[in-house]
Amino acid sequence: MDTIFKRLTFSLDTLTVFRPVMDSSVLSSFYRLCRAASDGDVTEASCRYAGVYYRLREAGFAGVGEYVLDVLKYSELPFAKAMATGAAEASYLAAAERDVRILSEAACLSCEDIKRQLMHLPGGYNDIIGTLPEWETGVSLSFDALKSFYRQNGSGPLAKYRAFLWSGDKMTPVASPDPVRFDRLVGYDWQRQAVLENTRALLAGRFVNNILLYGDSGTGKSATVKSMLNVTEFSSLTLIEVPKQSLTGLPDLLSELAWRPRKFIIFIDDLSFEDGDAKFSALKVILEGSLGRRPPNVAVYVTSNRRQLVRRNFSDRDEMNNEETVEEKTSLSDRFGLRIPFFSLNQEDYLKTAETLARQAGVAMDDAALHRAALQWAIEHGARTPRTARQFADDLAAKQPG
């Protein structure tokens, strides 16, 4: 009566290519369920059945099939890398396909059949076994679909999420990235179009320029970069934000990204260096002109309040090789193929921006009154920038009746 469990346990024991997935919480409990049932231990098997159900729900899944598919897609597996890089030979493919058949057999085993088998084991309480909740079954795994996924996305968290924070040795996914939309940004049209076209070329598989977006605070430099994630046709783009203190880990990060099919923007926000900062050299290494070439699926987008990223001090003028020293410090900015300025708005453009954002926010006020209020707001906040205009529009919208 327990032949089905003995066979499935034996099959799972012989997994090769996808063997690591058995360490996942649900499949580990499922295996122990099969093992206990094949040994005739109804108490242990029933306990493991309950554990499978709990861990499925804990992980947010209704069935074993969808859980297994998720684990296969988003675990870092050597076979996924081999598929993404075209290095999977025929024997490797055959072994992987065999594993998928075994896992599919496990996923398709119905709870009704499992409970029926448990009821035939001695020492159990069938009235209790019969009331055990059931998970969804019958989801068959497609090896062809899995191969296609690996070729298009790679595997692991970098295939699942689209935004990350890199801390030098750890990649933390951002489950809900900034929803700022490119088509809702106001002003700086040619600047933003240049970023858009460069990103479009990256996604088309071309080796593109790194970008330095520089200028006044609050002009939308960071928003422009973040908005790339929300462009409809850029679904294969991933944004990785790297803080300045983690720049020394960039070579390792690039090595990790190089083989993956997706396209990546390394985003370094509000960057500047003090004289003698060692992180200056770390960034310089991955920009144009270095021996270790940046992979073609990666571009570096940097924002800064200054065009020259390295702050120069007065002692520079007194150094023996002054010309070479200054050239070294200014060369970092020159290594960005696109250097795009974002400066504070003149009064006319500021008023246009404030009006557009206010209308988008549903503010009902005549143009003259709105302009007067916008100018007063700019005076009080000391800037004519898109950020100031956005804050003005949000304030007006919050005060709208009903």
Side-chain angles (χ1 to χ4, degrees):
M1 69 182 71
D2 57 352
T3 302
I4 183 174
F5 293 113
K6 287 183 176 179
R7 175 184 171 82
L8 190 51
T9 302
F10 187 85
S11 295
L12 292 171
D13 276 332
T14 64
L15 287 176
T16 54
V17 174
F18 296 121
R19 194 172 189 83
V21 304
M22 294 307 299
D23 293 330
S24 63
S25 62
V26 171
L27 288 177
S28 177
S29 291
F30 186 88
Y31 174 81
R32 286 175 171 79
L33 159 63
C34 294
R35 171 66 71 184
S38 67
D39 291 340
D41 189 339
V42 66
T43 301
E44 177 68 10
S46 299
C47 177
R48 295 301 179 182
Y49 181 105
V52 171
Y53 185 89
Y54 172 80
R55 286 177 173 80
L56 273 175
R57 291 301 183 174
E58 180 183 41
F61 294 92
V64 173
E66 61 174 322
Y67 174 85
V68 171
L69 183 59
D70 188 83
V71 171
L72 289 174
K73 285 181 176 180
Y74 303 124
S75 298
E76 292 288 8
L77 299 166
F79 178 74
K81 183 174 181 179
M83 284 301 307
T85 58
E89 74 277 10
S91 61
Y92 203 11
L93 288 166
E97 186 171 15
R98 172 186 178 275
D99 279 8
V100 169
R101 285 198 302 269
I102 293 171
L103 292 168
S104 188
E105 181 183 350
C108 289
L109 183 60
S110 74
C111 293
E112 183 180 353
D113 286 340
I114 294 174
K115 291 194 291 185
R116 185 183 299 115
Q117 294 292 330
L118 295 183
M119 288 178 182
H120 284 105
L121 297 176
Y125 296 90
N126 290 352
D127 57 327
I128 296 177
I129 293 174
T131 62
L132 284 170
E134 300 183 359
W135 56 82
E136 295 179 6
T137 55
V139 176
S140 182
L141 307 179
S142 168
F143 184 57
D144 287 339
L146 186 62
K147 289 189 297 181
S148 177
F149 179 86
Y150 288 152
R151 281 193 292 262
Q152 294 175 20
N153 301 283
S155 65
L158 283 165
K160 185 174 187 177
Y161 300 99
R162 299 192 59 214
F164 293 85
L165 297 175
W166 168 257
S167 62
D169 58 358
K170 182 181 178 182
M171 192 93 70
T172 303
V174 179
S176 300
D178 193 330
V180 58
R181 287 171 43 191
F182 182 83
D183 58 4
R184 300 285 285 183
L185 297 174
V186 180
Y188 303 94
D189 292 340
W190 76 261
Q191 292 95 325
R192 292 191 167 113
Q193 192 64 30
V195 177
L196 182 72
E197 293 305 322
N198 196 73
T199 308
R200 181 173 284 119
L202 173 68
L203 289 161
R206 296 195 287 274
F207 192 81
V208 301
N209 282 308
N210 298 313
I211 302 180
L212 172 63
L213 301 85
Y214 68 93
D216 299 319
S217 297
T219 49
K221 302 182 295 294
S222 300
T224 300
V225 177
K226 293 176 182 178
S227 73
M228 295 297 103
L229 271 187
N230 302 311
V231 177
T232 303
E233 64 266 33
F234 291 178
S235 59
S236 60
L237 178 68
T238 298
L239 184 69
I240 302 175
E241 184 169 355
V242 178
K244 176 184 172 182
Q245 62 267 25
S246 299
L247 290 180
T248 53
L250 280 178
D252 291 336
L253 176 59
L254 290 182
S255 177
E256 179 61 32
L257 301 179
W259 65 268
R260 298 179 184 273
R262 293 183 64 84
K263 305 300 187 291
F264 300 91
I265 291 175
I266 293 178
F267 175 41
I268 308 169
D269 195 23
D270 196 21
L271 181 65
S272 65
F273 296 103
E274 297 297 329
D275 189 23
D277 193 332
K279 300 178 187 67
F280 162 79
S281 298
L283 178 58
K284 185 178 177 182
V285 164
I286 70 167
L287 298 176
E288 312 306 332
S290 61
L291 182 61
R293 192 170 189 242
R294 168 175 54 96
N297 64 330
V298 177
V300 180
Y301 289 8
V302 171
T303 69
S304 178
N305 292 341
R306 299 199 312 270
R307 185 183 185 280
Q308 300 302 337
L309 296 175
V310 183
R311 192 187 304 274
R312 293 160 54 187
N313 57 47
F314 291 109
S315 66
D316 292 343
R317 301 174 184 174
D318 303 322
E319 294 178 17
M320 184 177 298
N321 297 316
N322 183 62
E323 184 176 344
E324 292 181 5
T325 301
V326 173
E327 182 180 352
E328 169 72 11
K329 293 181 177 180
T330 59
S331 67
L332 184 61
S333 297
D334 294 339
R335 289 174 183 247
F336 291 88
L338 290 177
R339 299 177 290 277
I340 303 176
F342 283 73
F343 296 121
S344 294
L345 301 169
N346 59 37
Q347 179 169 303
E348 180 181 358
D349 289 337
Y350 167 73
L351 291 175
K352 287 180 181 178
T353 300
E355 182 178 346
T356 299
L357 293 173
R359 300 309 181 208
Q360 289 178 356
V363 173
M365 179 185 289
D366 69 79
D367 292 350
L370 190 147
H371 288 178
R372 286 194 300 271
L375 289 174
Q376 183 60 36
W377 183 276
I379 292 171
E380 293 172 355
H381 290 78
R384 289 197 303 255
T385 66
R387 179 185 295 163
T388 308
R390 167 64 67 187
Q391 293 167 346
F392 165 71
D394 290 343
D395 184 70
L396 283 185
K399 295 175 179 176
Q400 289 287 292

